[in-house]
Amino acid sequence: MHHFSETAEASLLDRAPFVFKHKLADHPTLTVESLARIIPELPASCLNHSKGLDSVGLNFDRSFQEHQNGLSVMQSFERLKEVSSYITVMDPIEHPAFRDLYRELKQDVETLQKQAGRAPQIHEARMWLFIASPNAVTPFHFDRYSNFLMQIRGSKQMAVFPNFRDDIVPARVCESYMDREPSGDLWRDELDVHANKYDFRPGDTLHIPFAGGHYVKNGAEDISISLSIFFQTDETNRWVKAMQFNNRVHRHTGWQLGPIGKSQLRDKLKASTLNAVTATKVSLRSLLPLGLMYLDSGLLDSI
């Protein structure tokens, strides 16, 4: 593999978090000096920044609007050690310096998919950079993608929670979020007992499974630079579609169908039904109640 070590536990992809090594800690594109040259050359649409947050209970999706620091992106970058800031660089492949790295990381993820015995092709792969002041916190949230997070500089404590757990992220919240509706505030202090926690340093890679809740506390000794590759697989695409199906049925009928991730066949049927409805423009209202009940019946688990 180009940048991942051979110790990655591919069989755990999207089943559980796991840590392994990467080879990017000294990559010339990811140094502070290089990023100082690259960031001003990126489109403004690639950049978000805010104050460095201090609580895992804040709403992460609203943080860039609600927690401004009064500085420009480059002022935030240049003063990371003295003014608490948090910068997200979305899709830096807009810059030539990142294009080979993006391609190589995609190939590494596809190699892991193949090792896990799954369809190797990944979809919607996106590269993000996270640059943060010492002690900055990334609040508890979950993503619409699978993720590999690589620490380049500084340290952090990562807390990752099991996915598909209704007592951590309720199914209704997950389903509506996958259907591009905003999520509300999710954090409750009692959730912390369910976290897998990792001390994360340069050279470490963490797999965050699809829809797995997580939060981050950056170390006090240095700024933090980390790189993520987000992606969908055939399996996670099916989960997204099935969740969207559940959400739209709930929106139109008020019914709460069974959660995703419990039955592969049921998930496939829900995803296929949504695809068919979308392709033919048939309204979900026209689906017979009996058909919806069948999609969610326990009979499917025995077929």
Side-chain angles (χ1 to χ4, degrees):
M1 287 191 280
H2 298 284
H3 303 296
F4 288 172
S5 77
E6 301 295 335
T7 60
E9 300 175 80
S11 63
L12 296 180
L13 277 166
D14 287 316
R15 272 57 180 173
F18 57 90
V19 174
F20 60 97
K21 295 297 183 180
H22 67 76
K23 308 166 190 174
L24 291 170
D26 298 318
H27 195 284
T29 299
L30 300 174
T31 65
V32 169
E33 295 75 18
S34 178
L35 293 175
R37 294 190 299 270
I38 291 170
I39 289 174
E41 298 174 0
L42 289 168
S45 59
C46 291
L47 304 170
N48 268 331
H49 71 294
S50 70
K51 289 192 297 187
L53 304 180
D54 59 5
S55 170
V56 300
L58 296 172
N59 188 296
F60 180 65
D61 288 345
R62 297 197 304 264
S63 62
F64 296 110
Q65 290 75 42
E66 296 180 353
H67 301 280
Q68 299 288 320
N69 65 0
L71 303 175
S72 69
V73 173
M74 283 311 297
Q75 286 172 332
S76 294
F77 183 83
E78 291 163 358
R79 301 174 65 186
L80 279 166
K81 287 191 174 181
E82 57 186 274
V83 179
S84 186
S85 298
Y86 183 94
I87 300 169
T88 302
V89 183
M90 301 167 288
D91 303 308
I93 58 168
E94 294 286 340
H95 195 283
F98 278 92
R99 288 176 189 161
D100 285 345
L101 179 55
Y102 171 75
R103 175 182 52 80
E104 291 161 357
L105 284 172
K106 279 183 62 180
Q107 291 173 353
D108 283 355
V109 175
E110 288 174 342
T111 297
L112 289 183
Q113 280 285 111
K114 188 173 181 180
Q115 289 176 359
R118 302 174 198 164
Q121 186 178 11
I122 61 173
H123 316 283
E124 301 177 52
R126 302 186 66 183
M127 177 188 285
W128 285 32
L129 267 171
F130 303 100
I131 307 168
S133 295
N135 294 313
V137 171
T138 303
F140 178 75
H141 67 288
F142 64 99
D143 300 315
R144 299 181 178 96
Y145 300 86
S146 299
N147 179 15
F148 285 103
L149 178 68
M150 293 152 274
Q151 191 68 9
I152 308 301
R153 174 172 170 166
S155 68
K156 57 184 61 171
Q157 183 188 73
M158 296 289 308
V160 187
F161 296 75
N163 57 353
F164 298 124
R165 282 273 299 271
D166 199 58
D167 57 334
I168 297 173
V169 177
R172 278 294 308 127
V173 171
C174 197
E175 289 164 2
S176 63
Y177 192 68
M178 293 299 164
D179 211 12
R180 297 289 166 175
E181 296 175 7
S183 71
D185 297 337
L186 298 171
W187 180 250
R188 308 184 310 278
D189 287 343
E190 59 266 29
L191 293 181
D192 213 35
V193 298
H194 301 294
N196 298 285
K197 294 186 178 180
Y198 305 91
D199 291 323
F200 209 53
R201 299 188 178 278
D204 289 339
T205 303
L206 173 64
H207 172 56
I208 302 174
F210 172 84
H214 53 283
Y215 68 75
V216 182
K217 294 181 177 180
N218 288 310
E221 78 285 355
D222 196 3
I223 66 171
S224 172
I225 299 175
S226 52
L227 177 71
S228 272
I229 180 162
F230 298 95
F231 58 95
Q232 299 283 15
T233 65
D234 289 352
E235 182 175 53
T236 64
N237 269 333
R238 181 169 64 247
W239 286 336
V240 168
K241 292 290 186 181
M243 288 186 192
Q244 290 173 343
F245 177 85
N246 274 11
N247 187 59
R248 294 176 199 187
V249 167
H250 184 271
R251 187 191 305 155
H252 290 306
T253 69
W255 296 352
Q256 180 59 50
L257 301 183
I260 305 308
K262 307 298 183 185
S263 165
Q264 186 178 82
L265 178 56
R266 193 160 54 200
D267 293 347
K268 283 183 178 179
L269 285 170
K270 288 178 178 180
S272 298
T273 301
L274 183 66
N275 288 336
V277 167
T278 303
T280 61
K281 308 298 183 184
V282 174
S283 170
L284 277 172
R285 292 180 186 274
S286 67
L287 291 174
L288 292 174
L290 181 61
L292 291 175
M293 290 171 62
Y294 178 73
L295 276 172
D296 225 36
S297 75
L299 292 173
L300 292 179
D301 297 329
S302 63
I303 296 175

